[in-house]
Amino acid sequence: MKSRIKLTITYIIPFVLLLVSGFQLFLQPTFLNTNDTSTMEALLDGTAREPISGFYFQGGAISQMLLTENILKEIEDPSLPSDSQPEEIKNRLGRVLLGQRLQIFFYVFLAVLSLTSFLSLYFKAFFYAFLNRVLYFFGFIHGLFSMPNIALAGASSGKAEDLFWVIPSLFLAFAWIIGMVYLMFTIGKLFSKDDADRFYSLKNLREDESEFRSESNRNNSFATALLHFLGIVALGTLIGNIVYIPLFVLQKNYSEPFGILIAGAVIAVSAFYIRNYLKFGRSPELSTYQNLALGISYLQVRFIRIALMILLVLILVVVFILFLFNLLTINFGILESLFPSIDSRQNL
């Protein structure tokens, strides 16, 4: 009975986060306090009527991005004189627009992750635990950031009766956070390995391929390793001059065609990988569309793992650079203490 309740909860959570993503993209709840005179929105709503305190729905991240784009186009209108196009405002709006696009990308990613997490759970794929843990992590972050907003909205209303919805909302957000943490640690025990075995052949595909490699390929000599290294350097130089530099010039001068090119390339590569996933991991118990859904879910697993690996590498590089810089600073300090006549900081 307990496992059935837990399974039902895990089925519901992806749809809750999918609903949250849809609201953030298209509608956002906003608390309006007419007693707050620090903002013009509390006094003017465009209807020549005094607004009423309470919750309202305004446009989501997509409509806000479109509004920012329209404002930026009006400021950058070539018919306007150059002195009426302040560079500081344009740069600030450009940063706001970039943040809004990243926000839209995040909520679209969360919506897709919600669907793929549910599909992997429903069809009992071997990677269901990984996808749902990532989903619960984002759910934990969303609940953590929602608590200050709820408390701030209740405090800004200035009415005692608003505590009747603020306290239950805070309690619900706290219970959501605790539930996300609990599920992150226990989701892997929901099914046994024998039950969740769909697409399992993809998990050991690399190990299976290694069994067919010859011993000569496994025991490479120094000369072979050197030839491989030189080949990689030559290939990297060739790709850099033929592919990377033209792509950089295209991105710098033709941003929209470059975006279309990148989107088309990602879709083509994704279709290629999904085809291979279906070829090696197709389950005879599922239909064609169900296997396709699992193939898309496994593709997102690969994307997330690659993104985590890139993030880990970047963190290690930044930590190494900071460590090296601090070590050099300490060495320069020691040299200054030993030889006061040396001004080593001018070399930093």
Side-chain angles (χ1 to χ4, degrees), residues 88-345:
E88 183 178 354
I89 295 178
K90 289 195 296 184
N91 294 334
R92 187 179 302 174
L93 286 176
R95 291 191 294 269
V96 170
L97 184 60
L98 177 61
Q100 291 173 343
R101 288 175 177 173
L102 292 176
Q103 184 183 19
I104 291 174
F105 173 79
F106 169 75
Y107 284 117
V108 170
F109 168 79
L110 184 60
V112 177
L113 180 62
S114 302
L115 293 175
T116 54
S117 299
F118 171 77
L119 291 173
S120 66
L121 189 66
Y122 183 76
F123 293 122
K124 297 180 181 179
F126 81 92
F127 50 85
Y128 80 94
F130 175 80
L131 272 183
N132 283 274
R133 281 195 180 103
V134 176
L135 180 68
Y136 298 151
F137 173 76
F138 286 118
F140 166 78
I141 296 298
H142 185 272
L144 196 64
F145 281 99
S146 65
M147 291 187 68
N149 296 330
I150 295 172
L152 184 61
S156 62
S157 64
K159 296 180 180 179
E161 57 268 18
D162 289 335
L163 294 177
F164 288 102
W165 63 264
V166 172
I167 294 178
S169 299
L170 288 174
F171 179 77
L172 182 62
F174 183 75
W176 172 269
I177 292 173
I178 298 298
M180 293 297 101
V181 174
Y182 171 76
L183 288 174
M184 274 193 289
F185 287 100
T186 61
I187 187 63
K189 301 178 181 179
L190 189 62
F191 300 116
S192 64
K193 292 183 179 180
D194 296 332
D195 292 333
D197 60 350
R198 301 275 168 74
F199 273 52
Y200 194 80
S201 58
L202 295 176
K203 185 176 183 180
N204 297 323
L205 186 60
R206 182 174 298 176
E207 287 78 3
D208 295 338
E209 290 177 350
S210 64
E211 295 178 0
F212 297 98
R213 297 175 184 173
S214 61
E215 291 295 330
S216 61
N217 290 332
R218 294 182 180 180
N219 301 321
N220 294 323
S221 63
F222 176 77
T224 305
L226 181 60
L227 289 176
H228 287 173
F229 174 75
L230 294 177
I232 291 173
V233 171
L235 184 61
T237 305
L238 184 64
I239 292 176
N241 286 276
I242 296 179
V243 179
Y244 290 158
I245 294 178
L247 285 178
F248 175 77
V249 176
L250 181 64
Q251 180 270 337
K252 185 177 181 180
N253 297 281
Y254 305 97
S255 57
E256 293 185 1
F258 178 78
I260 296 174
L261 176 63
I262 292 297
V266 170
I267 293 173
V269 173
S270 300
F272 173 76
Y273 275 99
I274 291 173
R275 176 181 173 274
N276 291 335
Y277 295 155
L278 294 178
K279 182 179 179 180
F280 290 100
R282 179 187 295 273
S283 176
E285 301 174 358
L286 301 178
S287 65
T288 302
Y289 294 105
Q290 290 173 342
N291 279 295
L292 180 62
L294 276 186
I296 297 173
S297 301
Y298 187 71
L299 178 67
Q300 190 168 31
V301 172
R302 302 301 302 172
F303 277 149
I304 293 174
R305 287 179 176 175
I306 292 172
L308 290 176
M309 183 181 66
I310 294 174
L311 180 62
L312 178 62
V313 171
L314 290 177
I315 292 175
L316 292 177
V317 169
V318 171
V319 170
F320 175 75
I321 292 175
L322 291 177
F323 171 77
L324 185 61
F325 181 79
N326 290 328
L327 184 63
L328 291 174
T329 304
I330 294 173
N331 291 336
F332 286 149
I334 295 174
L335 288 175
E336 286 183 349
S337 62
L338 295 176
F339 305 98
S341 60
I342 297 178
D343 187 9
S344 60
R345 295 189 181 275

